[in-house]
């Protein structure tokens, strides 16, 4: 499942003016989950609800400004893996099935003097990476 180009306005960055003014961040999330249960029964409760996932990611990116987009990416990966866990096994404390989140955080308006198209970081995390 892929969610691409989720736009969030937030106040992350190492410079004071980034924290004060804020800027847009674009988030891409790719989840590796077994979708057969949801598809087999045509049951939204047995799959990842991408609308709710998007809302949770927006909330995670908007809260608590940090310096690095690496930190934002880790935060989003944690949210995404939590959704995969709950969707596939609501009673699970951890997700036993294969679940991976590939998260890219883009900072297209980064304060760089040179002309550039994008700055981004990507993290790949599995359910086993979670504490």
């Amino acid at each position: 499942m892929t969610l691409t180009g989720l736009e969030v306005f937030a106040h992350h960055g190492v410079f004071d003016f980034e924290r004060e003014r804020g800027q847009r961040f674009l988030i891409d999330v790719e989840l590796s989950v077994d979708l057969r249960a949801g598809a087999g029964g045509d049951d939204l409760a047995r799959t990842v609800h991408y609308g709710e996932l998007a809302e949770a990611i927006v909330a995670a990116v908007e809260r608590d400004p940090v310096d690095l987009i690496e930190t934002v990416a880790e935060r989003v990966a944690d949210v995404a893996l939590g959704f995969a866990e709950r969707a596939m096994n609501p009673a699970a404390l951890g997700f036993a099935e294969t679940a991976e989140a590939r998260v890219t955080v883009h900072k297209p308006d980064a304060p760089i003097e040179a002309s550039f198209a994008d700055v981004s970081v990507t993290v790949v995390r599995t359910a086993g990476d979670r504490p």
Side-chain angles (χ1 to χ4, degrees):
M1 177 176 289
T2 304
L3 177 61
T4 306
L6 185 63
E7 188 169 330
V8 183
F9 190 85
H11 296 266
H12 306 296
V14 296
F15 298 112
D16 289 341
F17 67 86
E18 292 180 287
R19 296 287 183 104
E20 292 166 8
R21 293 184 214 150
Q23 61 191 298
R24 67 191 176 111
F25 296 84
L26 301 174
I27 313 297
D28 302 331
V29 177
E30 182 179 334
L31 290 180
S32 296
V33 295
D34 187 345
L35 301 175
R36 289 178 287 190
D42 196 30
D43 184 0
L44 179 60
R46 301 290 312 270
T47 190
V48 177
H49 187 306
Y50 48 80
E52 291 180 358
L53 174 63
E55 290 174 8
I57 290 170
V58 168
V61 174
E62 288 177 334
R63 73 173 169 82
D64 303 328
V66 295
D67 289 344
L68 304 177
I69 58 176
E70 291 87 335
T71 306
V72 176
E74 291 288 352
R75 184 184 293 175
V76 171
D78 192 49
V79 167
L81 286 171
F83 263 79
E85 288 174 4
R86 286 189 298 280
M88 304 314 287
N89 186 357
L93 295 176
F95 184 47
E97 301 298 325
T98 301
E100 181 180 89
R102 174 181 294 274
V103 175
T104 301
V105 175
H106 303 264
K107 190 175 178 180
D109 304 318
I112 298 173
E113 292 297 321
S115 178
F116 70 101
D118 190 22
V119 172
S120 66
V121 298
T122 300
V123 299
V124 178
R125 298 292 175 261
T126 65
D129 294 335
R130 293 179 57 149

